[in-house]
Amino acid sequence: MARNGNARPGAHPGDNARKGDVNTEAEGPTRAVVVVPLLLRGQAGEDDSGRPRLSRSPEARLEEAVGLTRAIDLDPVHSAVVTVAEPRPATLLGSGKVAELAQIMKESGAELAIIDHPLTPVQQRNLEKELDVKVLDRTGLILEIFGERARTKEGALQVELAHLNYQKGRLVRSWTHLERQRGGAGFLGGPGETQIEADRRVLQDKIVKLKRELETVRRTRDLHRAKRKKVPFPVVAIVGYTNAGKSTLFNRLTGAGVLAQDMLFATLDPTLRRVRLPHGTPIILSDTVGFISDLPTHLVAAFRATLEEVVEADLVLHLRDISDPDTAAQAEDVEEILADLGVDATDSRRVVEVWNKIDLLDEAHRARLLADGAEAAPHVAVSAATGEGIDALLALIETRVSGELRPLSVTLAPRQLSHLDWLYRNGDVTTRTDNEDGSVSLTLLATQSACEEIEHRLRSGG
């Protein structure tokens, strides 16, 4: 596991003497056991619109949890779905399951337990005592991944802020090695309690400082956004579930070298590039962090500055891995996060679904999918890996941001021939006639915005 020195996931001050500390550089990847609790009560439900929530299969949830574990170079030596009929307030899992898990930890030599479910501080502490190893819940694991993926100063600040907010409520666990001393007339504040309060103040001071720094980042982003609006290039943001292929599509459309791997959260920091569409329309394309089910609220809040690029976008491309059996449930998770950001995913004028990875479907499945989706919300099927459907996607983007193509006839006087190159770059010239008086007559197809620009240029007498 590529971490510094003796560092390990979720390490806290004062934890160094605890069992489970591992020198990962000397012994290789940390061995982990992955457990996905399947709660029989409260799994399904309704969203704010009253629609029944889609539920993932236990196998898909387990595969995702193992993928998250491997995303930070942990070695999942054992993984399992554990049915929980009645969640226990103390440990979430029943006592029999905890004992069984402890035996598995001992036999496999695992040093870390990943519980793919949010844990309360008390549940986490009790499980660590019972299992005698470090325990990470889903929120903590995602925070660890984000911490390793952040490359820019802004990304590091956002992850640190989310981590501090997460840790603030867990200091009681972090400082269990400090005991309170008993006074003469009862329990008085001993060194442990004092240390907890001191560290809580330190954390709060750091949180305030980070918020100030992120506010500076937000103001800088606002300035950059204001400059872009002065040169009004439409902004197109790519969003989607993690590993849907956003970075691959971004690279395909821009020629950029953004890291693209078959890995959850392969990239974290947002990237913006200028792209010229087939008929010359320039846009700003934005690649954003991947979404995931049960995304920690700390992260949504911390990354709001980054995700403002989505809020401000003229067009949002909702990229879906259409080859994934759980694509519908993943789409629902993305729509929920977009709704939290104030973006209505059902607004077909602003949000377009892009069905990616059609190259992974067999012919029968692909034909059935496209037939079933004919009446669905506006969408386009592509393969970011092979380039299939990319031309159709670019045409759709251009239509949305610049209007439908329309025919136009233009005659340029000799003094206006400087516009000729611009017309060729921003339209499809179908016929050209060079007249005897030196003028040039053209018929072309151009977008609505391009037609307006042409008319403005010719009226200005340039």
Side-chain angles (χ1 to χ4, degrees):
M1 182 176 171
R3 304 184 66 85
N4 296 328
N6 294 340
R8 56 193 168 82
H12 301 286
D15 280 351
N16 292 333
R18 300 180 51 164
K19 185 173 181 179
D21 283 348
V22 178
N23 188 325
T24 56
E25 291 185 357
E27 300 184 13
T30 300
R31 295 178 295 277
V33 168
V34 182
V35 174
V36 176
L38 184 62
L39 276 61
L40 298 184
R41 292 173 52 184
Q43 284 293 333
E46 293 184 348
D47 60 18
D48 293 338
S49 66
R51 298 179 305 173
R53 286 183 53 84
L54 298 172
S55 60
R56 286 178 175 77
S57 65
E59 295 78 15
R61 291 182 55 197
L62 182 61
E63 182 181 356
E64 180 177 275
V66 171
L68 289 171
T69 303
R70 289 186 173 133
I72 49 173
D73 298 327
L74 295 173
D75 179 18
V77 295
H78 177 83
S79 60
V81 175
V82 174
T83 302
V84 180
E86 191 72 37
R88 299 293 180 90
T91 56
L92 181 67
L93 310 176
S95 57
K97 292 295 183 183
V98 173
E100 180 182 337
L101 185 57
Q103 184 63 28
I104 292 173
M105 301 291 298
K106 183 177 180 181
E107 293 175 353
S108 64
E111 305 122 320
L112 182 67
I114 304 293
I115 309 297
D116 189 53
H117 191 279
L119 295 175
T120 66
V122 170
Q123 289 172 339
Q124 189 170 357
R125 183 182 70 236
N126 289 340
L127 283 173
E128 287 183 343
K129 287 181 178 179
E130 295 291 335
L131 304 178
D132 200 23
V133 296
K134 182 71 187 169
V135 173
L136 274 183
D137 66 355
R138 182 179 178 86
T139 301
L141 179 59
I142 294 175
L143 284 170
E144 288 291 329
I145 297 171
F146 274 43
E148 294 226 351
R149 295 289 183 270
R151 292 294 177 265
T152 65
K153 179 181 178 183
E154 177 187 359
L157 287 174
Q158 290 169 329
V159 172
E160 187 176 357
L161 175 61
H163 221 299
L164 289 175
N165 278 314
Y166 175 71
Q167 296 294 354
K168 189 166 62 171
R170 296 170 187 262
L171 283 174
V172 62
R173 178 179 61 81
S174 304
W175 293 102
T176 49
H177 65 292
L178 298 174
E179 297 179 355
R180 295 197 308 177
Q181 293 180 343
R182 184 179 178 88
F187 286 103
L188 301 176
E193 185 174 6
T194 302
Q195 185 65 66
I196 291 173
E197 294 303 322
D199 280 295
R200 186 171 286 122
R201 284 192 297 271
V202 169
L203 280 181
Q204 188 59 43
D205 290 343
K206 287 183 178 179
I207 289 171
V208 171
K209 180 182 177 182
L210 285 174
K211 285 183 175 179
R212 288 199 196 104
E213 292 187 54
L214 281 172
E215 181 63 22
T216 301
V217 171
R218 189 190 66 79
R219 287 196 297 267
T220 302
R221 279 189 172 276
D222 288 342
L223 289 174
H224 291 168
R225 199 174 289 121
K227 288 181 180 179
R228 290 201 300 269
K229 287 180 178 178
K230 290 181 180 178
V231 183
F233 294 160
V235 176
V236 178
I238 305 175
V239 303
Y241 206 79
T242 183
N243 210 32
K246 293 182 301 303
S247 295
T248 302
L249 178 63
F250 186 83
N251 290 340
R252 171 70 63 174
L253 297 179
T254 65
V258 175
L259 175 65
Q261 294 182 359
D262 184 16
M263 177 192 298
L264 299 177
F265 297 117
T267 53
L268 175 62
D269 296 302
T271 309
L272 286 83
R273 291 288 188 277
R274 179 177 171 178
V275 177
R276 187 171 290 277
L277 298 175
H279 292 93
T281 304
I283 63 169
I284 300 296
L285 191 65
S286 172
D287 182 22
T288 59
V289 62
F291 297 162
I292 196 169
S293 63
D294 301 321
L295 189 67
T297 54
H298 305 302
L299 280 177
V300 176
F303 277 77
R304 187 166 291 275
T306 300
L307 295 173
E308 281 177 3
E309 295 294 345
V310 178
V311 177
E312 297 289 334
D314 298 278
L315 183 67
V316 177
L317 303 181
H318 175 190
L319 193 67
R320 293 175 54 179
D321 177 359
I322 206 66
S323 68
D324 194 306
D326 288 314
T327 182
Q330 293 175 356
E332 187 177 79
D333 290 324
V334 172
E335 290 170 2
E336 286 184 3
I337 297 174
L338 288 176
D340 290 340
L341 296 171
V343 177
D344 182 5
T346 63
D347 182 1
S348 59
R349 294 168 302 176
R350 190 181 176 201
V351 181
V352 173
E353 284 194 0
V354 181
W355 295 357
N356 190 28
K357 303 189 183 182
I358 59 172
D359 57 304
L360 301 182
L361 304 177
D362 57 50
E363 290 299 327
H365 189 182
R366 182 188 299 199
R368 184 171 63 255
L369 176 73
L370 296 180
D372 292 343
E375 302 299 325
H379 67 276
V380 58
V382 305
S383 169
T386 67
E388 182 181 355
I390 294 300
D391 289 342
L393 174 60
L394 289 172
L396 177 61
I397 294 173
E398 192 156 33
T399 298
R400 288 304 182 87
V401 300
S402 298
E404 297 282 351
L405 292 177
R406 70 178 194 181
L408 184 67
S409 297
V410 177
T411 297
L412 299 177
R415 61 185 174 81
Q416 296 175 319
L417 293 182
S418 59
H419 298 306
L420 199 56
D421 177 64
W422 190 92
L423 289 172
Y424 272 94
R425 286 188 291 107
N426 291 273
D428 281 341
V429 177
T430 54
T431 65
R432 168 176 172 163
T433 303
D434 295 300
N435 303 313
E436 292 182 0
D437 61 358
S439 64
V440 175
S441 297
L442 303 171
T443 58
L444 65 153
L445 292 173
T447 63
Q448 176 69 31
S449 60
C451 289
E452 293 172 358
E453 177 65 17
I454 291 168
E455 293 168 357
H456 172 73
R457 284 170 176 255
L458 296 183
R459 281 198 310 269
S460 66

